[in-house]
């Protein structure tokens, strides 16, 4: 109950935290956050800019416009004058909402807090709602993956639970091609830096991997929020929010590899896994060895948490596609049997071929044996 009260705007002592998250610099997080702040200001909310890093980008500077900006604090460090957000000044000003950009930033030595995200925590503790921005590469739990993808070691990081505890998380998405076009046009970096950026960190392969990383990370956050809401509302029956993954079971030893691949896919998506076995009339002639192998594969599917569905049909592909519709399945994993093996039992082309031919928008993952 206390958690629900804390999340009700204006009901608790702590402010609400809305985070704008992107896959990389330049996707438009700061612009989107400024747009949100302006909308709130125009609706009558007392809203100010605590700190925005413009990097000299004309569109970002224009987006600040006539928004009130709290003056920055000047810090002397090794003969250099640095500017940081004046957290104490924001607290004295006590707005309803404040925008704090780039919260993974490391503050200048001698600052009240070592990291900007710690300034955000203090503002929230004083009952001020914060709109913040960050990129996925700054999450502590993903730092090693990002370094492996890009070859760049990320030193400025934020704890993962900062994202998990946020009241609202907004993904600011953009295709890798579109972001690279923005960089080419000089909207992210000066022309002299654009070419180098495109050849290094902002290679299309890097951006594609980072985009998948942020989509997966935020999908798990959304799923957890849904589960928390359902618990809070006393909803016992699960909602079909996650599209299921289906794996087609058969007696082959290779079916076990297929089950594991399907489980990894379902686990990454936080989606339910369904194992399906369709018995055809020809199965009555199956050997005891095939029957034992099938039961072993079904047990493996159950061991990894799959719900196993057994059904009978003269048309296995039709039965599986009906299950796809009934269970809101996103994808089907099916093994392509070797010629003359299980495909011969049905007297027609393989089940994998049938599914590919007859599926509409469902993804059919056809997995051949490794040696094939």
């Amino acid at each position: 109950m206390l958690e629900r009260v804390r999340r009700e705007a204006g009901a608790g002592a702590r402010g609400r935290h809305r985070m704008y998250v992107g896959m990389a610099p330049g996707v438009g997080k700061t612009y989107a956050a400024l747009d949100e702040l302006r909308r709130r200001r125009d609706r009558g909310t007392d809203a100010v800019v605590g700190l925005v890093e413009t990097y000299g980008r004309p569109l970002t500077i224009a987006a600040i416009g006539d928004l009130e900006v709290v003056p920055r604090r000047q810090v002397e460090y090794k003969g250099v004058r640095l500017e940081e957000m004046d957290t104490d000044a924001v607290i004295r000003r006590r707005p309803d909402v404040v925008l704090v950009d780039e919260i993974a930033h490391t503050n200048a030595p001698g600052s009240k807090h070592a990291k900007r995200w710690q300034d955000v925590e203090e503002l929230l503790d004083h009952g001020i709602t914060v709109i913040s921005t960050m990129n996925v590469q700054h999450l502590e739990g993903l730092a090693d993956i990002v370094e492996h993808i890009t070859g760049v070691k990320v030193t400025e990081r934020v704890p993962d639970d900062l994202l998990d505890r946020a009241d609202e998380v907004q993904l600011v998405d953009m295709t890798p091609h579109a972001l690279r076009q923005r960089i080419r046009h000089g909207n992210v970096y000066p022309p002299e830096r654009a070419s180098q950026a495109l050849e290094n960190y902002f290679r299309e392969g890097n951006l594609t991997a980072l985009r998948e990383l942020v989509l997966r990370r935020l999908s798990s956050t959304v799923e957890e929020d849904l589960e928390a809401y359902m618990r809070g509302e006393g909803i016992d029956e699960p909602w079909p929010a996650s599209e299921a993954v289906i794996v087609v079971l058969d007696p082959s030893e290779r079916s076990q590899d297929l089950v594991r691949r399907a489980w990894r896919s379902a686990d990454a998506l936080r989606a339910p896994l369904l194992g399906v076995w369709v018995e055809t009339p020809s199965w009555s002639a199956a050997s005891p060895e095939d029957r034992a192998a099938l039961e072993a594969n079904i047990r493996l599917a159950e061991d990894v948490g799959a719900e196993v569905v057994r059904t009978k049909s003269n048309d296995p592909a039709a039965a599986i596609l009906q299950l796809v519709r009934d269970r809101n399945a996103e994808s089907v994993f099916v093994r392509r049997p070797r010629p003359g093996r299980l495909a011969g039992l049905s007297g027609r082309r393989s089940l994998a071929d049938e599914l590919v031919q007859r599926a509409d928008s469902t993804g059919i993952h056809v997995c051949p044996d490794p040696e094939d």
Side-chain angles (χ1 to χ4, degrees):
M1 183 176 65
L2 289 173
E3 177 67 12
R4 290 178 64 186
V5 169
R6 188 188 72 82
R7 288 177 175 271
E8 290 294 329
R14 186 175 168 87
R16 291 176 64 83
H17 189 188
R18 179 181 179 90
M19 298 181 70
Y20 283 83
V21 181
M23 66 177 176
V27 296
K29 302 178 306 297
T30 304
Y31 191 89
L34 284 165
D35 190 46
E36 170 71 14
L37 192 73
R38 181 175 301 281
R39 286 197 303 270
R40 295 195 185 200
R41 194 276 309 269
D42 292 346
R43 292 197 302 263
T45 302
D46 185 12
V48 302
V49 174
L51 186 141
V52 165
E53 303 283 11
T54 67
Y55 301 111
R57 298 170 186 167
L59 293 177
T60 304
I61 295 171
I64 296 174
D66 61 349
L67 289 169
E68 179 183 344
V69 179
V70 176
R72 301 189 185 193
R73 181 172 56 88
Q74 305 293 316
V75 181
E76 290 282 347
Y77 179 66
K78 293 184 177 181
V80 178
R81 184 179 294 274
L82 304 174
E83 292 186 339
E84 300 289 359
M85 180 174 69
D86 194 335
T87 305
D88 290 335
V90 175
I91 293 171
R92 289 193 299 270
R93 171 64 178 74
R94 201 162 187 83
D96 296 323
V97 184
V98 61
L99 191 159
V100 183
D101 198 21
E102 301 286 4
I103 61 173
H105 169 78
T106 300
N107 290 328
S111 298
K112 187 176 184 179
H113 298 295
K115 297 285 188 175
R116 191 173 291 165
W117 67 262
Q118 294 172 317
D119 293 316
V120 167
E121 287 290 289
E122 184 176 3
L123 294 173
L124 293 169
D125 287 339
H126 279 81
I128 299 171
T129 289
V130 177
I131 299 173
S132 69
T133 72
M134 64 167 289
N135 290 315
V136 68
Q137 70 261 29
H138 295 296
L139 285 171
E140 182 70 48
L142 300 178
D144 58 334
I145 301 176
V146 172
E147 183 177 357
H148 179 74
I149 292 170
T150 65
V152 176
K153 186 177 182 63
V154 179
T155 57
E156 294 190 322
R157 306 175 185 174
V158 303
D160 289 68
D161 72 339
L162 189 72
L163 179 67
D164 297 330
R165 290 186 288 108
D167 298 281
E168 300 173 82
V169 179
Q170 175 71 49
L171 171 65
V172 181
D173 192 26
M174 178 177 287
T175 66
H177 175 75
L179 177 54
R180 285 172 58 83
Q181 287 296 102
R182 289 199 68 200
I183 295 172
R184 287 191 182 96
H185 296 157
N187 295 328
V188 180
Y189 296 112
E192 63 272 15
R193 291 183 56 195
S195 296
Q196 183 180 6
L198 290 169
E199 293 171 2
N200 293 285
Y201 191 90
F202 291 88
R203 293 195 303 271
E204 188 148 354
N206 287 359
L207 295 178
T208 300
L210 290 172
R211 189 186 190 202
E212 181 179 2
L213 198 63
V214 70
L215 289 170
R216 288 188 176 186
R217 181 61 175 83
L218 294 191
S219 70
S220 66
T221 300
V222 170
E223 186 74 14
E224 290 165 4
D225 288 345
L226 175 61
E227 291 171 358
Y229 174 80
M230 291 172 66
R231 287 195 302 268
E233 296 296 321
I235 300 171
D236 297 324
E237 289 297 322
W239 289 345
S242 294
E243 296 178 321
V245 174
I246 291 177
V247 57
V248 179
L249 303 172
D250 66 45
S252 167
E253 182 181 351
R254 296 295 181 185
S255 184
Q256 297 193 6
D257 293 332
L258 187 69
V259 168
R260 295 186 182 99
R261 290 183 65 172
W263 174 82
R264 287 194 293 270
S265 176
D267 183 63
L269 295 170
R270 294 180 59 86
L273 177 63
L274 301 176
V276 57
W277 160 246
V278 183
E279 181 180 332
T280 63
S282 60
W283 181 246
S284 60
S287 67
E289 293 77 15
D290 277 346
R291 291 179 181 275
L294 173 66
E295 293 303 320
N297 293 343
I298 288 175
R299 284 195 299 273
L300 173 64
E302 292 173 336
D303 287 344
V304 299
E307 175 191 349
V308 174
V309 177
R310 300 175 187 242
T311 186
K312 296 181 179 182
S313 175
N314 293 328
D315 189 344
I320 292 167
L321 293 175
Q322 183 60 51
L323 186 64
V324 166
R325 291 186 288 271
D326 292 344
R327 297 301 187 92
N328 189 32
E330 181 218 33
S331 57
V332 176
F333 283 75
V334 60
R335 193 180 64 84
R336 185 187 298 280
R338 295 175 184 173
R341 178 68 172 129
L342 295 174
L345 291 175
S346 65
R348 64 176 77 179
R349 62 184 174 184
S350 75
L351 176 58
D353 292 331
E354 288 284 346
L355 289 172
V356 169
Q357 289 292 324
R358 295 158 66 175
D360 41 27
S361 61
T362 305
I364 306 297
H365 301 259
V366 181
C367 305
D369 292 336
E371 57 265 36
D372 294 340

